[in-house]
Amino acid sequence: MILVFLLLWYAVFSIIAFCLMGIDKHRAKHNRWRIPEMTLISTAYFGGFIGYILGMKLFHHKTSKWYFYINFIFALILHGILIYVLYKNGVLI
C-alpha cells in the first residue's frame, strides 16, 4: 500500500515539476511574470525530481544554472535514502 502511495506521489510531483518548467520557459520567452526559482527547486525535493530534470532537458530551461543540477542531485540522494530506509525497515515489502 505504501509503495503504491509513494509511486503516485512521485508521479504527481514529477508531472507538476515538468509542467512548471514548461510554463516558466514559456513565460520567459514572452517576458511575463515568472515562477520563482525556489518553487521550481522545491518540486524536486517534494519528489518531482524526474519531471524536474526532464523539464530542464526538454524545454532547455535553467540548464546553465549549476545550482539547479546540484539541487536535482541532492533531491535524488534524499529520496534514495528515504526509499532505502523504508525498505530496510520493512515498509516497502
Side-chain angles (χ1 to χ4, degrees):
M1 185 66 177
I2 253 323
L3 180 61
V4 173
F5 173 78
L6 196 58
L7 290 174
L8 256 142
W9 181 273
Y10 286 142
V12 167
F13 272 97
S14 286
I15 291 167
I16 291 168
F18 183 80
C19 290
L20 287 178
M21 282 290 186
I23 291 166
D24 193 51
K25 178 65 175 193
H26 179 76
R27 289 179 176 177
K29 284 183 176 181
H30 293 87
N31 291 326
R32 293 179 52 208
W33 176 82
R34 304 282 302 280
I35 296 170
E37 288 184 344
M38 189 53 65
T39 301
L40 298 173
I41 291 169
S42 295
T43 59
Y45 283 99
F46 275 106
F49 47 86
I50 295 171
Y52 175 87
I53 198 72
L54 288 175
M56 282 179 66
K57 296 297 184 180
L58 183 70
F59 300 120
H60 303 287
H61 191 49
K62 305 289 187 187
T63 54
S64 63
K65 300 199 176 195
W66 61 270
Y67 53 89
F68 271 80
Y69 288 105
I70 296 297
N71 279 291
F72 166 74
I73 292 167
F74 284 152
L76 191 62
I77 290 169
L78 176 73
H79 285 276
I81 291 169
L82 171 71
I83 290 169
Y84 176 77
V85 168
L86 290 174
Y87 178 75
K88 277 302 203 180
N89 289 313
V91 178
L92 292 181
I93 296 176

